[in-house]
Amino acid sequence: MVPNGNLTFKHTGRDIVPSSDLSDHYAYECRLEPFSDEKNLDADVFQSYDSHLEVYPENWSDYMKQLYGNNDFICWYPCVIESINEQQQENGTATTFVARIHAKKEKENKVIRLVQNIPRNGIRFVDAPYSSNYHLKSAFRHYIPIPDLMFPPLWRDDFKPASSFNLGKKTRASAAPAATTIVDEENHHQAEQQHEAVLRAAECGVYYAPSNIPNAGFGIYTALPLSGDGVVARGTPIPVIPFYNGTTNWSFYNYFWKGSEHYAEYETSLWLDGFNDTDLLVVNEGSLANYHPGLVNQQSIPAIFEPMLDRCTDPGAGAFSDYINSQFFTSFVTGAGEEMFVDYGTSWTKKRPAFQDVPLSNDWEKSNQIMAMLWALTINNDNDSFWKESEIIDFLDLIKQTIFTEDDQHRTKVALSTVSSMEELSHVIERNGTAQSTMQVRSQQWLSENGHCLDHVYVTDSTIKQAGKGCFARRFLKKNAVVLSSPMLTTFGKERFEINITEIREQLKKEGKEYDIEINEELLVLNYHFTHPKSSVYLFPTTSAIMFNHNSQRMPTDYGREPNAKLRWSTRNEKNNLLLQRPLEDLKKEPYSAIALDIVATRDIEVDEEVFIDYGIKWEEAWKMHLQNWQSPCSKDGGVASHSSRAIRLMNDDKSNPKYYPWSKDRFTVCGVNWNAVKVKDIIFVIHENETITPYLNALVQEQRAGKAYQVGLANITWHHPGFQYARLAAVNRRLPCVIIGDNGRNEEKPTLQVAILGPKWRGGGVAHFISTPRPMKIVSDYPVKDIEFMNRPFKSDMHWKGAFRHPINIPDDIFPPQWKDLS
């Protein structure tokens, strides 16, 4: 090994010294052959410098000289000078160096070669890392700015894209339930209890008052902030009322809900040509809350079919709705003073000519995207150097005039028309949406002065047997306080509540359908109407006023007592006061709830006390007569009792019982299924017995995969099975009629049955058009028992029983307008 020395060598003003003696500001690099191998060399053995001839550039190939002759950086490697060696030669002293050569990768810092006899020209000085003048602390630094006008705004770190504003996005609480189920019952129940406590401590939690929407009548407002955790703003659910709509429309058809919305689609539907299906009346949110496609913040949970009485034992069975616990819950965070909106569905708007210009939800979304884009141009604009405010509004006008010009885009153009200035654009951002900017948040004072409290009462089981549900005071109510004020829907003529059974029978016969139509000739909804014996006007409350029960000292002594509330015409509505002075003809011209009744406390009412009113002597006499004449329709041996609504409902607690499998004249079976998701290849087409199934047709079916096969029947299910008719009434994405074919054996954890699901009229492709009326069916071999439900057949529930009590509520003679008494 070459011995260490303390000699120095002077060359071009710099001395090569061992690296240990070198200033920290400098380092060495040593020349090696180009592209030296850094991995496979033996770093423990000294090599002579000239053992690789290519360390000298003159030994490079012409190709290498051409590429790297003027830039030989590939040859220089970091090195550490270990020692200096001087040898006497003929022409003088020759100085060479011993060095450790390191890999170029600074992080590795590994020695790749030990070299001796390195000449001076094989070594060069370099600045140590971060030691050159480039890294001086005092050196000048500044980027060259690109002018704002030419720099893309999207490249700026402080640029806020339109998507960052989330215009129109509502905040949903994590605990909010889905539309049809409560996912966390314990937490939801706790939230309901907390909300009830807040309601009781408040002056009022929910009001109805003039809507923000022009010409929309009343709307519903929350006076309390709602966290969107799925609670009912009013505190308690309420029943819905199914009824047969017959062949003509009611004057207030805009207030009707489809039966399928609350799983009542089979209740009164007879699948007859020209006859309507089941409709529902839903009060409070279902009647008073408006629909704003861009601001829906209430969702509904369908009512539960839960009969409280049994027509076999209870005279009151069928006198009130068995569809209970309808709920509209807050699905998004809603501030105090905001109006609450429910979803009518886009089809509701599209079918009504008066609403052809009303923007739908997607129109408001498009508007929000455009407003967010314009606002992004505004706030990312330094000193108006790029966009002036006037130019932004001009740009908006250009969008309105050139982009949304087609007939199917006019609703979006209407949504955009709400903004025409920078001030209005700023308001859109402040209110977090175009639709939101059109709404006013009402103060508590405004609600108190212009609104009517909806939640002084709550609904639960009445203290009177046979009365079903009742209204109870949520707060202490002083004498003469308005317990509840209710806008009323008007109907004229008692015939509107009558069912023409003869007409129905004739239509059944005409269409070749057999059905036992022994039903009550008056609609259940009659019991919820207020009227006068000498008037043709019938008034239906749009609030919980439908739930106030009757009481008087004339009733039986075990519960009869003076009512604690009475009826009074509302005095806070100027139009109400005007119509009370006008003839009925003027009232008939009003399309919405133009008249209002108040329920007023006749004495102090304590918290949780049931509130009663007097239905009138005529109602009371009719009820007493009903009790005297009532007889159980059920045989003593209980054979018919199994067909009452309550009995059928209780069958669902024992769904695996084989004796319930067959359909009867009063009940049938439904299965939860989304028919739209059923694959065509899984469908069996059932045809009329007079149709001919040819080999060609069956081959065509298989070839086009339109279904498994055509056949006359399967498992006693023929073309005539009534389930195919019922399927026409169904909400095909929820549940359909089905026939239980067999039991798969007892599986206590997840019991299943073999069922045939009967589908609606076939509208698919394939070869179905070759047959006049194919009826589709799907066999499921392991259908979950939990998704099967036993139900009353149409018009067979207690609510339509021929012996069910019917009578309207009488408005006292001393407050009824004389000019409205149009009957002798």
Side-chain angles (χ1 to χ4, degrees):
M1 183 175 179
V2 178
N4 290 331
N6 295 321
L7 301 175
T8 62
F9 177 70
K10 224 169 191 181
H11 180 69
T12 62
R14 290 191 180 183
D15 294 331
I16 299 293
V17 298
S19 295
S20 58
D21 299 331
L22 190 64
S23 168
D24 292 339
H25 295 289
Y26 300 101
Y28 295 119
E29 286 185 346
C30 297
R31 178 196 293 275
L32 295 181
E33 71 277 8
F35 306 110
S36 296
D37 190 346
E38 297 185 12
K39 295 182 179 179
N40 300 319
L41 296 179
D42 187 352
D44 295 330
V45 178
F46 277 94
Q47 301 179 15
S48 177
Y49 181 74
D50 55 7
S51 62
H52 296 274
L53 296 178
E54 287 188 346
V55 298
Y56 302 107
E58 57 265 26
N59 294 328
W60 290 3
S61 67
D62 293 339
Y63 176 74
M64 288 293 293
K65 290 177 181 178
Q66 185 176 0
L67 287 180
Y68 300 106
N70 296 324
N71 193 1
D72 59 353
F73 66 90
I74 61 173
C75 302
W76 292 97
Y77 287 78
C79 60
V80 174
I81 303 301
E82 296 282 355
S83 61
I84 302 173
N85 184 28
E86 291 187 348
Q87 294 180 353
Q88 296 293 327
Q89 296 182 356
E90 294 179 359
N91 56 351
T93 302
T95 303
T96 60
F97 304 89
V98 178
R100 287 184 286 110
I101 314 296
H102 290 258
K104 287 187 176 182
K105 294 181 180 180
E106 184 178 345
K107 291 182 179 180
E108 294 185 4
N109 197 30
K110 71 175 182 178
V111 177
I112 62 172
R113 193 180 301 180
L114 299 178
V115 183
Q116 59 186 2
N117 300 325
I118 303 175
R120 173 65 185 81
N121 61 2
I123 302 173
R124 69 182 183 183
F125 284 93
V126 294
D127 291 303
Y130 302 107
S131 297
S132 71
N133 291 342
Y134 299 128
H135 305 287
L136 287 176
K137 190 174 182 179
S138 59
F140 176 74
R141 294 289 184 269
H142 201 281
Y143 62 86
I144 302 173
I146 300 174
D148 282 344
L149 285 175
M150 63 177 291
F151 195 82
L154 289 173
W155 292 6
R156 292 172 52 158
D157 292 337
D158 63 346
F159 180 82
K160 289 186 177 180
S163 58
S164 68
F165 300 112
N166 292 319
L167 281 191
K169 301 296 183 182
K170 308 181 190 72
T171 304
R172 183 190 292 272
S174 59
T180 56
T181 183
I182 303 296
V183 293
D184 189 337
E185 292 187 4
E186 183 177 350
N187 288 342
H188 182 73
H189 180 64
Q190 183 178 0
E192 284 182 327
Q193 288 181 320
Q194 292 173 349
H195 181 63
E196 179 65 25
V198 173
L199 278 178
R200 292 188 174 227
E203 176 185 335
C204 179
V206 179
Y207 291 85
Y208 77 85
S211 175
N212 275 291
I213 300 176
N215 303 315
F218 292 116
I220 291 185
Y221 296 82
T222 175
L224 302 171
L226 301 173
S227 61
D229 52 6
V231 298
V232 179
R234 287 177 296 99
T236 56
I238 200 167
V240 301
I241 306 167
F243 66 98
Y244 174 63
N245 198 357
T247 58
T248 58
N249 286 322
W250 292 55
S251 59
F252 49 85
Y253 75 98
N254 282 328
Y255 290 83
F256 293 167
W257 291 77
K258 290 183 178 180
S260 57
E261 293 291 331
H262 290 272
Y263 295 137
E265 64 269 34
Y266 300 107
E267 190 64 41
T268 66
S269 300
L270 285 174
W271 67 92
L272 295 174
D273 293 337
F275 286 72
N276 295 330
D277 295 337
T278 304
D279 284 316
L280 298 172
L281 280 171
V282 185
V283 299
N284 294 323
E285 293 88 350
S287 294
L288 291 174
N290 285 307
Y291 172 41
H292 192 305
L295 296 174
V296 173
N297 51 17
Q298 298 282 299
Q299 288 182 266
S300 65
I301 296 178
I304 302 170
F305 184 69
E306 190 68 52
M308 299 179 66
L309 304 179
D310 191 317
R311 71 170 181 251
C312 294
T313 57
D314 300 309
F320 52 83
S321 175
D322 289 329
Y323 287 88
I324 65 173
N325 287 8
S326 166
Q327 302 181 50
F328 285 88
F329 64 85
T330 51
S331 50
F332 299 98
V333 173
T334 307
E338 290 192 24
E339 188 169 355
M340 297 189 289
F341 297 99
V342 300
D343 190 356
Y344 295 178
T346 55
S347 61
W348 187 94
T349 305
K350 291 181 177 180
K351 289 179 180 179
R352 288 163 170 78
F355 301 105
Q356 291 307 303
D357 292 330
V358 173
L360 304 178
S361 58
N362 61 321
D363 300 303
W364 290 112
E365 289 173 6
K366 292 177 185 176
S367 177
N368 286 332
Q369 292 169 0
I370 292 171
M371 297 305 162
M373 174 195 69
L374 296 175
W375 190 249
L377 294 174
T378 302
I379 66 168
N380 294 304
N381 192 16
D382 291 338
N383 300 318
D384 289 334
S385 58
F386 191 60
W387 284 86
K388 294 182 173 60
E389 289 188 355
S390 59
E391 292 174 334
I392 290 175
I393 297 304
D394 289 343
F395 185 31
L396 173 60
D397 291 338
L398 182 65
I399 292 172
K400 295 176 184 178
Q401 296 169 13
T402 59
I403 297 181
F404 299 103
T405 58
E406 301 296 331
D407 290 340
D408 61 345
Q409 297 174 329
H410 70 282
R411 295 179 189 267
T412 305
K413 195 171 183 178
V414 173
L416 290 172
S417 68
T418 60
V419 177
S420 58
S421 67
M422 285 302 299
E423 183 181 0
E424 290 172 342
L425 176 59
S426 177
H427 185 57
V428 168
I429 304 303
E430 179 185 351
R431 294 286 286 123
N432 192 39
T434 315
Q436 288 88 336
S437 70
T438 65
M439 299 289 110
Q440 293 188 46
V441 177
R442 304 300 189 180
S443 66
Q444 178 64 55
Q445 180 180 351
W446 186 93
L447 292 173
S448 299
E449 293 175 353
N450 298 276
H452 306 264
C453 187
L454 276 173
D455 62 6
H456 283 327
V457 293
Y458 64 93
V459 176
T460 190
D461 294 352
S462 175
T463 57
I464 298 179
K465 182 175 172 55
Q466 306 294 325
K469 301 287 184 179
C471 279
F472 292 76
R474 173 175 278 120
R475 307 176 183 99
F476 174 75
L477 300 169
K478 292 183 178 181
K479 181 180 179 180
N480 296 324
V482 176
V483 179
L484 181 62
S485 180
S486 181
M488 311 295 280
L489 302 177
T490 54
T491 300
F492 297 89
K494 189 180 179 183
E495 63 275 7
R496 178 63 280 203
F497 304 96
E498 296 171 349
I499 300 176
N500 191 331
I501 298 179
T502 301
E503 183 182 19
I504 294 175
R505 286 173 177 159
E506 289 176 354
Q507 187 66 27
L508 284 167
K509 184 178 180 180
K510 179 180 178 181
E511 297 184 21
K513 299 168 182 174
E514 297 181 2
Y515 197 70
D516 177 15
I517 199 66
E518 290 296 329
I519 59 177
N520 199 306
E521 297 186 14
E522 292 182 319
L523 296 174
L524 167 64
V525 73
L526 174 65
N527 288 359
Y528 294 93
H529 276 75
F530 291 72
T531 189
H532 188 280
K534 293 184 179 181
S535 180
S536 63
V537 65
Y538 287 78
L539 306 175
F540 178 81
T542 56
T543 67
S544 300
I546 65 168
M547 303 309 298
F548 288 102
N549 283 316
H550 167 77
N551 211 337
S552 79
Q553 290 182 332
R554 304 181 300 267
M555 297 299 286
T557 56
D558 58 339
Y559 65 85
R561 58 184 178 271
E562 192 71 20
N564 50 11
K566 66 177 181 180
L567 297 177
R568 183 188 73 187
W569 296 111
S570 179
T571 58
R572 293 181 55 191
N573 188 319
E574 292 183 4
K575 193 170 187 178
N576 198 73
N577 297 332
L578 175 63
L579 288 170
L580 289 171
Q581 308 302 319
R582 305 296 298 167
L584 278 181
E585 291 303 317
D586 286 5
L587 187 58
K588 290 179 180 179
K589 297 175 184 178
E590 297 295 331
Y592 301 110
S593 51
I595 202 80
L597 271 173
D598 288 349
I599 310 295
V600 181
T602 56
R603 60 169 175 80
D604 290 352
I605 301 175
E606 300 297 329
V607 175
D608 295 323
E609 181 182 351
E610 185 167 5
V611 182
F612 295 103
I613 60 175
D614 190 339
Y615 286 4
I617 294 176
K618 286 190 175 295
W619 184 95
E620 198 169 285
E621 290 175 346
W623 174 248
K624 290 179 179 179
M625 183 66 68
H626 174 74
L627 292 177
Q628 292 175 9
N629 297 332
W630 182 83
Q631 291 182 348
S632 173
C634 306
S635 60
K636 293 182 179 180
D637 59 6
V640 183
S642 62
H643 299 153
S644 70
S645 294
R646 184 165 178 78
I648 293 176
R649 172 64 187 87
L650 293 175
M651 291 180 187
N652 289 290
D653 296 333
D654 188 18
K655 294 181 180 181
S656 297
N657 193 329
K659 72 178 182 179
Y660 300 148
Y661 291 177
W663 288 26
S664 73
K665 67 176 184 178
D666 297 297
R667 72 170 189 274
F668 72 112
T669 315
V670 295
C671 292
V673 65
N674 183 357
W675 186 259
N676 295 326
V678 174
K679 296 180 179 179
V680 181
K681 65 182 180 65
D682 295 331
I683 293 175
I684 296 173
F685 290 101
V686 180
I687 67 171
H688 195 278
E689 63 268 19
N690 293 332
E691 296 281 357
T692 301
I693 309 174
T694 65
Y696 168 77
L697 183 57
N698 268 330
L700 199 59
V701 170
Q702 295 297 329
E703 180 181 344
Q704 298 193 11
R705 298 181 66 80
K708 289 184 176 179
Y710 286 107
Q711 47 192 310
V712 173
L714 180 70
N716 296 321
I717 302 172
T718 68
W719 185 91
H720 301 280
H721 196 284
F724 290 115
Q725 299 286 4
Y726 293 177
R728 294 173 57 185
L729 316 172
V732 295
N733 62 336
R734 289 186 177 180
R735 57 185 189 176
L736 283 166
C738 60
V739 178
I740 300 175
I741 299 174
D743 195 338
N744 292 326
R746 291 285 176 174
N747 183 334
E748 296 299 333
E749 293 185 2
K750 295 182 179 180
T752 61
L753 295 172
Q754 186 179 19
V755 301
I757 299 174
L758 312 184
K761 185 177 180 180
W762 178 249
R763 294 183 176 87
V767 296
H769 62 276
F770 282 107
I771 293 182
S772 58
T773 53
R775 294 184 168 176
M777 174 174 65
K778 179 184 179 182
I779 305 297
V780 181
S781 59
D782 55 352
Y783 191 85
V785 170
K786 66 180 180 63
D787 294 332
I788 296 173
E789 186 175 358
F790 301 109
M791 296 186 61
N792 291 103
R793 287 213 196 187
F795 278 111
K796 295 299 183 180
S797 73
D798 290 1
M799 291 179 286
H800 312 289
W801 172 47
K802 191 173 183 178
F805 176 73
R806 295 289 186 268
H807 201 282
I809 301 168
N810 293 141
I811 299 174
D813 188 70
D814 60 346
I815 71 168
F816 198 82
Q819 70 275 18
W820 289 7
K821 298 177 182 178
D822 58 341
L823 301 178
S824 58

